[in-house]
Amino acid sequence: MRTLRIALAQINTTVGDLDGNTAKVLDYTARARDLAADLVAFPELAITGYPPEDLLFKHQFIEDNKERIAQVVEASEGITSVVGFVDSDADLHNAAAVAHDGRLAGVYHKMFPPNYGVFDEERYFKAGRECPVYVVGGVRVGVNVCEDIWQAVGPTVVQRAAGAEIIVNISASPFYSGKIHWRENMLATRASDNGVYVAYVNLVGGQDELVFDGASIVYDPFGKVVAMGSQFEEDLVVADLDIDAVFRARARDTRSRKESSALLKQVGSSHVSVVSEDSQNSKPPLPYRDPTRYDETGEVYEALVTGTRDYIVKSGFSRKVLVALSGGVDSSLVATIAVDALGPDSVCGLSMPSRYSSEGSILDARELAENLGIELKTAQIEDVFSSALGTLDPHFEGYQPGLAEENLQSRIRGLLVMAMSNKFGWLVLTTGNKSELAVGYATIYGDMAGGYAVIKDVPKTLVYELCRYRNARGDGPVIPETVLTKPPSAELRADQTDQDSLPPYEVLDPILKAYVEEDRSFEEIVEAGFDEQTVRDIVTLVDRNEYKRRQAPPGIKITPRNFGRDRRMPIANRYRPF
């Protein structure tokens, strides 16, 4: 039986940390070599981190990245390494280096740089035109990069036609809720349709608004799982592949015999390069694997924890954050995520009650802080609020109190949290959710003030689900039940609830999903059964508040379409859908 031992190194890289990323590649290469792997593969742009964005316009950055890939090549003794980096000739390429025994055996250029959603790779990279196949340990291996394997007729088909028995795809596939099922179905289809092993290695960790979930995986030629990696953790996935299974799969499937050679040539040309003829004979047994996987709510929670931790650590902030604790559900969830990301000693809560703060909310904030084991500071805002009202009285005379006075409290709180941030160097985590930001139910320069918006892409109904998920974990509930059962309120006026200004979130969130994430028309949303005037009001609010969202801090993407990288609407915009 012909076998090849393959290793997938899903590592957490940092954009621009060329030395740190290279050190990880070298470390995991050594680990794979110790397990007698014939080939080890790393994520897309592992040397530079992903996405490097406009760092790619810096010539020195490109040259420094090429120096680091030379170090990786030099360290490839006794193993074949596939490593993502930026290649340059007359243009830039998102590339995979194939190294073996201290020499560069080949370079693959990504053929389908994506330019949709959060991706804008066509801004930086030229598409490749060649689909090389490498002989590794006597086995033919096709290498391609991320988006390439999403193409039903792409380099995978050309490489299989050139004899590839394994496809190694190095990827940086950003997370959103439920994407893993779509992605894994696609990979299983590519494997079974082409009668090849598909070995997919994904990036893990957070980068600004994006989170990468890892979950690297190997499929056999019948579309069955051979091995899988954990979600949201660095991991080394090692598997022995029975190469004779490729012949068995292809003997049963005649589709490839009817392919058009002209169609394959339109995709790109192919050639075969010999890297190494023999596989290592003596191999130690593989360690037992129990990869960590989550249900849909759990993976969202872990994405928020990962994104929060990595944003703070990778950005170089002190490992201390400040959360304004109102006793409400949003701030309770943000504080809990922060503790799970950084530990209780790195999180401080700040309670800032006003004349309208209920005693129950004040007690809920205190109980949450005790449950989490974090410090809770209190800063009464009544004196500052009264003074500000007195200052404004001559200018507001003759006008009824309203939104300006309500928002003044929020802006005083924003002033205080930013003062604490300046004084102690703590990063302020804002607590606004996607539902509020969508309709502008947030105060610019008030509760929007801060450095990172943890639940910026989390709809309000999902906020409650995440709180209940966290409370159901083995270490016991931390968010008080009263937080989850009382009506949501900003508590900026007497007896205020969110539903004074908005429809119930069970109504609001589906309308927002249809309009913001699915680009449904006004008529389509109404036809789905929603009240026409309610839809009209919500759509108007979403469109009117683009200017606010443009000034919000970055936050973690967990839905298919977030505000910011995904949805880019003009602020000055007179189009109305009704």
Side-chain angles (χ1 to χ4, degrees), residues 228-295:
M228 62 173 60
S230 293
Q231 281 187 287
F232 305 105
E233 301 172 15
E234 290 191 318
D235 202 357
L236 183 65
V237 183
V238 186
D240 289 329
L241 309 186
D242 170 14
I243 306 304
D244 293 335
V246 174
F247 176 82
R248 294 195 295 272
R250 292 181 183 175
R252 303 177 189 178
D253 192 335
T254 63
R255 285 176 294 175
S256 63
R257 299 168 191 166
K258 302 174 184 178
E259 283 174 347
S260 165
S261 59
L263 179 62
L264 297 184
K265 287 180 181 178
Q266 289 177 17
V267 176
S269 60
S270 183
H271 62 271
V272 178
S273 301
V274 177
V275 176
S276 61
E277 288 285 11
D278 298 319
S279 173
Q280 298 185 50
N281 294 320
S282 177
K283 298 183 185 296
L286 293 178
Y288 171 74
R289 291 192 52 77
D290 185 19
T292 304
R293 292 292 180 109
Y294 298 91
D295 63 20

Side-chain angles (χ1 to χ4, degrees), residues 66-127:
K66 290 168 74 173
E67 288 182 9
R68 301 316 189 280
I69 199 67
Q71 295 175 22
V72 171
V73 171
E74 187 177 347
S76 63
E77 182 180 353
I79 194 169
T80 299
S81 298
V82 180
V83 185
F85 79 112
V86 179
D87 195 20
S88 63
D89 41 35
D91 213 324
L92 297 182
H93 299 275
N94 185 335
V98 180
H100 181 80
D101 267 348
R103 69 179 183 90
L104 183 63
V107 175
Y108 173 84
H109 291 163
K110 187 175 184 178
M111 297 182 65
F112 291 89
N115 216 65
Y116 59 86
V118 301
F119 304 107
D120 53 3
E121 288 194 25
E122 289 183 2
R123 176 180 172 89
Y124 308 106
F125 297 119
K126 182 178 180 179

Side-chain angles (χ1 to χ4, degrees), residues 6-10 41 149 166-171 180-189 191 196-203 213-220 223-231 235-239 241 289 291 293:
I6 191 167
L8 306 179
Q10 62 175 49
I149 205 163
I166 301 171
I167 300 296
V168 173
N169 180 267
I170 66 171
S171 183
I180 188 172
H181 306 298
W182 182 31
R183 187 174 68 209
E184 291 186 346
N185 285 338
M186 178 275 297
L187 292 170
T189 300
V196 294
Y197 282 96
V198 169
Y200 167 88
V201 58
N202 192 25
L203 186 64
D213 60 329
S216 301
I217 198 161
V218 181
Y219 287 96
D220 73 10
K224 303 297 183 184
V225 175
V226 175
M228 62 173 60
S230 293
Q231 281 187 287
D235 202 357
L236 183 65
V237 183
V238 186
L241 309 186
R289 291 192 52 77
R293 292 292 180 109

